[in-house]
């Protein structure tokens, strides 16, 4: 019998950073395609703008730091950052919004802290929050799914809408938000929050066309597609199971308790799990290896905190979804979580015991 001596870390699967980032991006493709089919070509246009901007920002920053440009471009971290931000914003947001956001994510949140591995916050989510605070109107201009749109957009219309905020036929974004029933539409989470704040019951709110299905028109399929991609990442051992399970489990538990306590003013647990960016957050955002917890117990606490904060923000906060804020708040708590969940070094005494 022979033993191979090697230095740590002792990874069972030998994958480079570039390979891991690329696998995550590929796993997100089913969700991106479903999102594009349901919400239009704007999804793909935003994605293209984000990736080009991310590469340009990464290259410019490395040149200013007088470091090699190609290595950070080849690790695909900038590509993944741009991808995650692009699919999180409204598909027909103005072109400059995704450019500003991606530049902020790569240059300020990532490179300003020293580059990949040194950033404290998830770059895509930090940029999303910055855009949401700075440009709230543009960040909430979601069009209804194609099946509920009064005027469908082809590729040329999508390009016109992103770059001019008008379709080629002359319709503005606000006009395009009007559904087939003649009522201006928002996302299911936003609509539900507005209705409950206005004093409507859950039953009354759910009568609107945007709530077709378990989690709103289109959003169930988007979340199922990201769930499928996330399960592939789990199968390939690209991500661990603890964070996604903790995020979804925590959100399910708290939403179930609130639903059982007051069913007519709280959406069902299934609605919470399959609406908004829930599955995207659980499998593709919260699992970021740089800004997430690094211990096994810590990952469970970290994920549970994100799920709990998503529930709290959706129910009591000022924003309908709350995924980005939940992730950033959990990022801030990571040093404390890691400190109290780090495993005891063999041979050292545990605090407060004589062992």
């Amino acid at each position: 019998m022979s033993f191979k001596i090697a230095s740590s870390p002792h990874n069972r699967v030998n994958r480079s950073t570039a390979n891991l980032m690329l696998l995550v991006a590929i796993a997100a493709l089913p969700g991106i395609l479903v999102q594009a089919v349901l919400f239009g070509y704007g999804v793909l246009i935003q994605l293209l703008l984000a990736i080009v901007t991310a590469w340009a920002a990464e290259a410019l920053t490395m040149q200013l730091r007088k470091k090699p440009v190609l290595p950070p471009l080849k690790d695909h971290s900038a590509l993944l950052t741009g991808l995650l931000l692009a699919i999180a914003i409204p598909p027909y947001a103005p072109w400059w919004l995704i450019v500003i956001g991606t530049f902020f994510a790569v240059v300020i949140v990532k490179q300003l802290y020293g580059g990949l591995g040194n950033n404290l916050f998830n770059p895509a989510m930090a940029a999303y929050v910055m855009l949401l605070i700075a440009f709230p109107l543009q960040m909430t201009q979601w069009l209804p799914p194609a099946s509920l749109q009064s005027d469908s957009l082809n590729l040329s219309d999508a390009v016109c809408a992103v770059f001019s905020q008008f379709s080629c036929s002359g319709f503005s974004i606000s006009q395009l938000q009007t559904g087939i029933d003649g009522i201006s539409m928002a996302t299911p989470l936003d609509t539900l929050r507005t209705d409950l704040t206005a004093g409507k019951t859950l039953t009354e709110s759910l009568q609107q066309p945007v709530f077709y299905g378990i989690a709103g028109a289109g959003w169930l399929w988007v979340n199922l597609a990201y769930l499928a991609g996330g399960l592939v990442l789990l199968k390939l051992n690209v991500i661990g199971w603890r964070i996604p399970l903790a995020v979804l489990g925590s959100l399910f538990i708290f939403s179930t308790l609130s639903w059982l306590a007051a069913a007519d003013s709280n959406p069902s647990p299934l609605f919470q799990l399959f609406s908004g960016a829930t599955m995207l957050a659980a499998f593709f955002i919260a699992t970021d290896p740089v800004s997430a917890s690094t211990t096994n117990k810590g990952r469970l606490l970290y994920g549970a905190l994100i799920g709990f904060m998503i529930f709290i923000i959706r129910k009591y906060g000022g924003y309908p979804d709350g995924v980005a804020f939940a992730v950033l708040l959990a990022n801030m708590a990571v040093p404390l979580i890691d400190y109290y969940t780090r495993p005891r070094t063999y041979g050292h005494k545990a605090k407060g015991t004589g062992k």
Side-chain angles (χ1 to χ4, degrees), residues 73-267:
L73 291 179
K74 288 181 177 180
D75 67 20
H76 303 308
S77 60
L79 179 148
L80 186 58
T81 295
L83 181 150
L84 292 175
L85 182 59
I87 58 181
I89 71 170
Y92 295 101
W95 66 271
W96 48 263
L97 194 75
I98 190 63
V99 171
I100 292 173
T102 306
F103 189 86
F104 179 86
V106 174
V107 176
I108 305 299
V109 186
K110 178 186 173 185
Q111 290 294 345
L112 195 62
Y113 283 92
L116 181 64
N118 298 300
N119 48 285
L120 301 177
F121 301 101
N122 182 289
M125 292 300 96
Y128 180 92
V129 168
M130 183 276 294
L131 292 175
L132 189 60
I133 294 173
F135 309 103
L137 177 61
Q138 290 80 4
M139 286 292 287
T140 54
Q141 289 182 328
W142 282 87
L143 267 62
S147 60
L148 297 179
Q149 290 178 15
S150 58
D151 297 285
S152 59
L153 300 179
N154 56 32
L155 180 58
S156 60
D157 284 324
V159 173
C160 290
V162 171
F163 286 94
S164 71
Q165 292 298 278
F166 287 89
S167 69
C168 295
S169 303
F171 292 102
S172 67
I173 292 297
S174 59
Q175 290 174 317
L176 294 172
Q177 283 184 286
T178 303
I180 55 177
D181 56 356
I183 299 174
S184 183
M185 306 183 75
T187 62
L189 282 171
D190 195 11
T191 302
L192 180 62
R193 177 172 182 78
T194 302
D195 288 348
L196 293 178
T197 303
K200 292 184 179 181
T201 64
L202 182 65
T203 304
E204 291 173 336
S205 182
L206 294 180
Q207 300 303 313
Q208 300 183 59
V210 73
F211 291 107
Y212 176 79
I214 295 175
W219 290 100
L220 171 63
W221 298 109
V222 170
N223 275 277
L224 285 174
Y226 285 120
L227 172 61
L231 293 177
V232 170
L233 292 179
L234 287 175
K235 178 66 175 178
L236 296 176
N237 291 322
V238 175
I239 61 174
W241 58 267
R242 290 176 177 82
I243 292 177
L245 179 65
V247 171
L248 299 178
S250 175
L251 179 58
F252 178 80
I253 290 171
F254 287 106
S255 59
T256 299
L257 292 175
S258 67
W259 181 60
L260 292 175
D264 209 31
S265 60
N266 293 287

Side-chain angles (χ1 to χ4, degrees), residues 311-344:
F311 168 76
I312 291 295
I313 295 171
R314 284 180 178 179
K315 183 169 177 59
Y316 302 107
Y319 297 95
D321 200 342
V323 163
F325 289 97
V327 171
L328 294 184
L329 289 170
N331 289 162
M332 294 173 63
V334 162
L336 186 65
I337 292 173
D338 282 352
Y339 178 79
Y340 283 105
T341 60
R342 61 187 178 186
R344 184 180 63 172

